[in-house]
Amino acid sequence: MLRRAKAAAPSPPSRDGGEAGEVGFSGWRLDLAALRLTAPDGTDVSLSRGEFDLLAAFTRYPRRVLSRDRLLSLTRNREWAPFDRSIDVQVGRLRRNIESDPKRPSLIKTVRGAGYIFTAAVEWG
């Protein structure tokens, strides 16, 4: 009888000062300890704290639809109000920093009526 050992995916670092790491996606490097984003060409990209936290949340839950409410909970520890557009604004700003064409995003896609999905494969290490 053969058993298939499934390699456990590395767990994302906690936000409370626990283990920290580096995340890679589509040539980008996100250093969670140093709060730094490096573009595929090696240049550092300046992000606000809100944009950084949002990108970190997306990398923790890649290829999953995250609602605005869930994103607010992950990044700001508060619930979404029906007319609160702050996540939409942050996503727009983040797209301008990491998308090659922010008007046609490929990394962070909008899922109508549901939220957003981070489409890139994420590597922890």
Side-chain angles (χ1 to χ4, degrees):
M1 182 164 153
L2 295 174
R3 287 187 178 180
R4 291 186 182 183
K6 195 175 182 182
S11 61
S14 65
R15 291 189 58 204
D16 61 357
E19 91 178 87
E22 222 176 70
V23 182
F25 62 92
S26 299
W28 293 83
R29 299 302 301 168
L30 184 66
D31 186 335
L32 296 166
L35 304 177
R36 182 178 10 182
L37 177 65
T38 306
D41 66 4
T43 59
D44 283 343
V45 176
S46 178
L47 295 178
S48 70
R49 182 59 195 236
E51 293 163 353
F52 185 90
D53 287 346
L54 185 60
L55 183 55
F58 278 129
T59 60
R60 285 185 178 94
Y61 300 97
R63 298 181 175 169
R64 289 190 202 169
V65 176
L66 298 174
S67 68
R68 288 176 179 88
D69 186 37
R70 180 76 172 132
L71 288 167
L72 271 173
S73 174
L74 290 168
T75 60
R76 298 192 185 117
N77 272 341
R78 68 180 175 98
E79 291 188 19
W80 179 71
F83 299 105
D84 186 350
R85 308 310 288 179
S86 62
I87 284 295
D88 301 320
V89 171
Q90 289 282 289
V91 167
R93 289 179 182 160
L94 183 56
R95 281 177 173 160
R96 281 187 291 244
N97 283 305
I98 67 171
E99 297 279 2
S100 56
D101 182 1
K103 296 206 184 274
R104 293 186 203 168
S106 61
L107 294 174
I108 303 171
K109 294 194 176 220
T110 302
V111 180
R112 288 197 178 254
Y116 296 98
I117 186 168
F118 189 70
T119 62
V122 173
E123 299 170 4
W124 288 89

